[in-house]
Amino acid sequence: MKTIETIAIAVIAATAVIPQAEAVTVIYNASSEFSLASSTNGVWTYGYSTTLGGPLIPYDQMMAFGSIQRHLHNIGSATPSITYNPTSNPIAVSSALYAAQTIVLHPGPNNEYSILRFTAPADGTYNLQGFFYGTDSIGTTTNVAIQENATTFFTGNINGYGIGTALGFGEEKILQSGDAIDFVVGYGSNGSYLYDSTALSLNVSADIVPEPS
């Protein structure tokens, strides 16, 4: 007859030999994973907000002109929007230059914030690496921010044109499944959304422990 102590030892021994799942590294890239088909594409959502930290409103219109691909809210003004150049060459549209395979965010006329959202697919450690920079030759003037679940942890201003205006970031975050990281572009302190095209280069490296099968 087994005693309670014997049963307990057996349970502990059985538990001890269960292998622990190892973290796997997954890389996400905002540009190469861009999709025009829907405002939500895997971990990425394309949208805007009427206030900083306000609810994300997914873009409801998509358009392509030439090789340029764009998610937007108002075709009449083409802003707020998120645009992607999928080609291997820069493309000029008016005074804005869309670099090859680059995402560009543009705020709206009423200071609607253009937002690229990354949603954590699983619990893990996420490393966010990239930079914002101005892409309008007349001179971009925007305020940018990065938020975790609507709380700002990075902010800055873009003033000017070209890679020399780049504002870099490198942040490590421990996230739970469903947590949202928003990359935000508003129209800055000059009160105008004109000439405010702002490029975003972004890679997310995630160390995720798979769920046990």
Side-chain angles (χ1 to χ4, degrees):
M1 182 176 180
K2 295 183 178 180
T3 65
I4 293 177
E5 290 80 3
T6 304
I7 294 172
I9 292 170
V11 169
I12 292 171
T15 303
V17 299
I18 296 175
Q20 298 297 311
E22 294 185 0
V24 296
T25 300
V26 183
I27 305 296
Y28 301 95
N29 181 271
S31 295
S32 64
E33 295 168 8
F34 184 89
S35 173
L36 191 64
S38 170
S39 59
T40 300
N41 173 40
V43 298
W44 306 107
T45 302
Y46 316 106
Y48 70 100
S49 178
T50 58
T51 58
L52 184 62
L56 179 73
I57 305 168
Y59 285 124
D60 55 2
Q61 299 182 54
M62 289 81 78
M63 65 181 293
F65 52 101
S67 298
I68 294 292
Q69 302 175 359
R70 178 171 288 166
H71 287 275
L72 69 163
H73 171 58
N74 186 335
I75 288 181
S77 69
T79 59
S81 63
I82 295 179
T83 303
Y84 178 58
N85 172 11
T87 75
S88 56
N89 297 300
I91 296 175
V93 179
S94 187
S95 56
L97 184 68
Y98 299 97
Q101 300 171 357
T102 297
I103 284 178
V104 174
L105 290 79
H106 200 295
N110 298 307
N111 199 20
E112 297 95 338
Y113 294 86
S114 189
I115 299 171
L116 175 66
R117 170 170 289 181
F118 174 84
T119 302
D123 297 355
T125 302
Y126 291 78
N127 193 282
L128 318 171
Q129 295 285 338
F131 52 91
F132 298 91
Y133 67 95
T135 64
D136 195 294
S137 60
I138 291 178
T140 296
T141 54
T142 53
N143 59 303
V144 301
I146 309 176
Q147 299 182 310
E148 178 183 350
N149 298 326
T151 299
T152 301
F153 62 86
F154 175 91
T155 188
N157 296 290
I158 302 296
N159 291 291
Y161 168 65
I163 200 67
T165 67
L167 186 61
F169 55 84
E171 300 282 345
E172 185 174 274
K173 290 288 181 180
I174 298 174
L175 303 177
Q176 295 182 327
S177 177
D179 282 346
I181 302 293
D182 289 345
F183 299 85
V184 184
V185 173
Y187 68 22
S189 60
N190 71 342
S192 172
Y193 75 108
L194 300 174
Y195 317 117
D196 276 352
S197 294
T198 303
L200 170 63
S201 175
L202 172 62
N203 283 289
V204 180
S205 174
D207 292 327
I208 298 171
V209 178
E211 292 288 337
S213 59

